[in-house]
Amino acid sequence: MTENSAVVTVDGKSVDLPVRSGSIGPDVVDIGSLYKQTGRFTYDPGFTSTASCESKITYIDGDEGVLLHRGYPIEQLAEHGDFLEVCYLLLYGELPTKAQKIDFDYRVTHHTMVHEQMSRFFTGFRRDAHPMAVMCGCVGALSAFYHDSTDITDPHQRMVASLRMIAKMPTLAAMAYKYHIGQPFVYPKNDLDYASNFLRMCFAVPCEDYVVNPVLARAMDRIFILHADHEQNASTSTVRLAGSSGANPFACIAAGIACLWGPAHGGANEAALNMLAEIGSVDRIPEYVAKAKDKNDPFRLMGFGHRVYKNYDPRAKIMQKTTHEVLAELGHKDDPLLEVAMELERIALTDSYFIEKKLYPNIDFYSGITLKALGFPTTMFTVLFALARTVGWIAQWNEMIEDPEQRIGRPRQLYIGEPSRDYVPVSKR
Ligand code: SDX
């Protein structure tokens, strides 16, 4: 074994596998030649010990509760930047100059309208369809409307598709909400910033003027920043795997939306709020904490735990601060759900089971309360997560395509089924 190699011994034969170092974080053992040299696969179904790619976009230190986007701590980006600045950073790798920011904002703003035919596309859905089902369908359908930005080998077309996705997700999300509640669609306005435009498209009605509350717009913008990207999580890995086959960007993002919908992932904010509502009052919390600890009970405390963060999710701390700002602004300081949430957090942070298993509140724990206070129904919570995460998916998708080592993703398996056997005629079964 050399300084930068790991030795694997199989059937008495030892092979050296190169160890590669990144700029920060754990080294990796490059197992690309393992099967060729040993006839063996590795086995890691949840990818808990497997790096799928090299990346320069986001870095998480789960033990220290650190989240960096292109090296910048999430706390500083959430405090000093806005969402489109973070989008620029994730896409291009550097914070924009003033001129670059003005140009980027202009380009995104002037892509916010969707093809007018999309309005008729919505009418195919039932009004009570879950907005995430509508988003899966509509985003996947974008490739049927924007053929001129689906050639993934053309960097210009990739960037046009990237801007279109970032720009049009708020419009589509607002349309999904309006369709869900039976109100008319509201077109974007180019004189509003990204978050304000989204709030107006969701909550304005033709009957009266709508004035955006700047405190709520800032909170919405910060929520988008907190959800923008998060390394190789399940939905981002889905987007990369879909993209590795050469699928167009709209189809890849639709795949990411579908994966994010799951309650173990982006669906947790909706599930966490539903859980708080089910608990209902502080005196019922011990009953649910006991259920969460019971190995025979599938119940989990939604909004707690994380595959990577074994310390507090840094986003949850900022989300908690935003929650209090929004509730104070809206006069909901005494929201009963927040009272249950705060007591549940206190118990979880002191209870030995949660401490031992390192189950801290994650970003979804507070985001649901905030989004409910902003006026969104729980069915829209994961849509907002998908809206914000689109820039992360798109940045990771572009990085994957530009990676010279990129190949179609095609995992192997440990087969535990029947060995080869002969067909049995039905008369003999
Ligand atoms: C997101 O990957 C990302 O980065 C995701 C995300 C992003 O920005 O993209 O951060 C967004 O998805 C946040 C996570 C949202 N999900 C939830 O809040 C759902 C509830 N949390 C869990 O389902 C769970 O914690 C996961 C899915 C988040 C993590 O699952 P792991 O890493 O596979 O951990 P595990 O299921 O193996 O659990 C380890 C132990 C188990 O006990 P043992 O079998 O070891 O005895 O902890 C227990 C679990 O039973 N456990 C919980 C729990 N989560 C884990 N017990 C009670 N309540 C919980 N929430």
Side-chain angles (χ1 to χ4, degrees):
M1 176 171 179
T2 65
E3 186 188 329
N4 286 325
S5 72
V7 174
V8 171
T9 301
V10 178
D11 293 342
K13 178 190 171 192
S14 295
V15 294
D16 269 8
L17 296 172
V19 172
R20 295 167 61 179
S21 300
S23 46
I24 45 177
D27 290 350
V28 297
V29 177
D30 183 338
I31 58 165
S33 64
L34 182 71
Y35 179 62
K36 189 176 177 183
Q37 295 196 66
T38 68
R40 297 318 194 265
F41 298 140
T42 59
Y43 182 72
D44 183 13
F47 308 122
T48 49
S49 301
T50 297
S52 61
C53 63
E54 285 184 341
S55 183
K56 301 176 182 175
I57 299 173
T58 292
Y59 174 73
I60 299 170
D61 182 331
D63 295 327
E64 299 301 321
V66 168
L67 170 55
L68 306 178
H69 288 319
R70 302 286 190 177
Y72 295 99
I74 188 67
E75 295 85 350
Q76 296 180 29
L77 293 171
E79 183 69 31
H80 303 299
D82 68 22
F83 178 64
L84 285 187
E85 181 177 71
V86 172
C87 289
Y88 186 98
L89 175 67
L90 291 172
L91 284 173
Y92 295 106
E94 297 296 338
L95 288 169
T97 62
K98 188 173 180 181
Q100 288 168 334
K101 179 68 167 52
I102 291 169
D103 171 62
F104 186 73
D105 286 6
Y106 180 89
R107 287 188 290 148
V108 171
T109 300
H110 289 77
H111 274 293
T112 49
M113 282 179 68
V114 295
H115 193 291
E116 193 59 19
Q117 287 283 111
M118 285 301 288
S119 305
R120 277 184 277 291
F121 190 88
F122 273 80
T123 57
F125 293 103
R126 287 173 41 157
R127 290 280 182 179
D128 61 351
H130 194 291
M132 279 298 280
V134 174
M135 291 301 285
C136 287
C138 289
V139 172
L142 287 178
S143 53
F145 289 93
Y146 299 104
H147 303 284
D148 61 341
S149 60
T150 53
D151 176 0
I152 64 162
T153 63
D154 177 351
H156 173 70
Q157 287 199 30
R158 286 207 307 272
M159 195 41 72
V160 169
S162 303
L163 287 178
R164 277 174 165 158
M165 278 308 328
I166 294 166
K168 297 181 192 306
M169 279 298 275
T171 310
L172 289 172
M175 290 171 77
Y177 172 56
K178 285 302 201 184
Y179 188 75
H180 195 48
I181 62 175
Q183 287 188 359
F185 297 141
V186 176
Y187 287 93
K189 276 174 60 70
N190 290 352
D191 60 352
L192 293 176
D193 65 67
Y194 194 87
S196 300
N197 217 350
F198 175 63
L199 290 175
R200 181 180 170 278
M201 287 191 282
C202 288
F203 298 120
V205 288
C207 326
E208 58 189 35
D209 290 340
Y210 179 83
V211 178
V212 179
N213 178 323
V215 173
L216 304 188
R218 178 67 187 131
M220 188 82 261
D221 191 85
R222 193 181 301 138
I223 291 170
F224 290 158
I225 292 173
L226 295 176
H227 288 80
D229 191 52
H230 214 238
E231 281 194 4
Q232 307 310 321
N233 57 84
S235 54
T236 298
S237 300
T238 300
V239 171
R240 279 181 171 259
L241 195 57
S244 73
S245 75
N248 75 70
F250 306 108
C252 296
I253 299 302
I257 293 173
C259 176
L260 188 75
W261 196 358
H265 189 14
N269 52 18
E270 177 178 355
L273 201 86
N274 291 338
M275 175 192 73
L276 292 174
E278 184 186 337
I279 293 173
S281 63
V282 168
D283 58 1
R284 293 192 64 198
I285 290 176
E287 170 195 339
Y288 282 84
V289 169
K291 281 166 64 69
K293 294 178 182 177
D294 179 356
K295 296 299 292 173
N296 300 316
D297 190 328
F299 174 80
R300 288 194 165 183
L301 287 175
M302 303 314 282
F304 283 82
H306 198 279
R307 171 61 60 76
V308 178
Y309 288 124
K310 299 309 174 189
N311 193 321
Y312 214 93
D313 181 338
R315 304 169 298 174
K317 284 197 178 102
I318 304 165
M319 195 69 245
Q320 185 191 41
K321 177 171 171 276
T322 304
T323 301
H324 287 293
E325 284 172 5
V326 167
L327 294 181
E329 176 68 17
L330 294 174
H332 296 180
K333 285 194 295 296
D334 304 325
D335 184 328
L337 288 183
L338 183 66
E339 189 185 0
V340 173
M342 298 298 285
E343 176 60 10
L344 186 56
E345 180 190 38
R346 186 195 67 76
I347 292 172
L349 293 180
T350 53
D351 183 291
S352 58
Y353 174 88
F354 296 98
I355 293 169
E356 174 204 318
K357 296 201 183 291
K358 301 181 184 303
L359 298 176
Y360 295 94
N362 57 47
I363 188 167
D364 296 293
F365 183 65
Y366 283 101
S367 62
I369 300 165
T370 313
L371 296 176
K372 176 178 180 290
L374 287 171
F376 293 104
T378 52
T379 50
M380 277 295 290
F381 290 3
T382 311
V383 172
L384 301 186
F385 194 151
L387 188 170
R389 184 54 57 89
T390 293
V391 62
W393 290 332
I394 279 288
Q396 300 268 355
W397 172 77
N398 277 296
E399 184 178 66
M400 181 269 301
I401 289 177
E402 291 158 8
D403 180 350
E405 287 192 348
Q406 188 267 327
R407 306 171 66 193
I408 188 166
R410 204 281 186 213
R412 303 304 302 270
Q413 63 177 14
L414 176 65
Y415 179 69
I416 57 172
E418 293 289 339
S420 177
R421 54 181 172 164
D422 293 330
Y423 183 82
V424 178
V426 68
S427 59
K428 294 188 174 176
R429 291 174 203 163

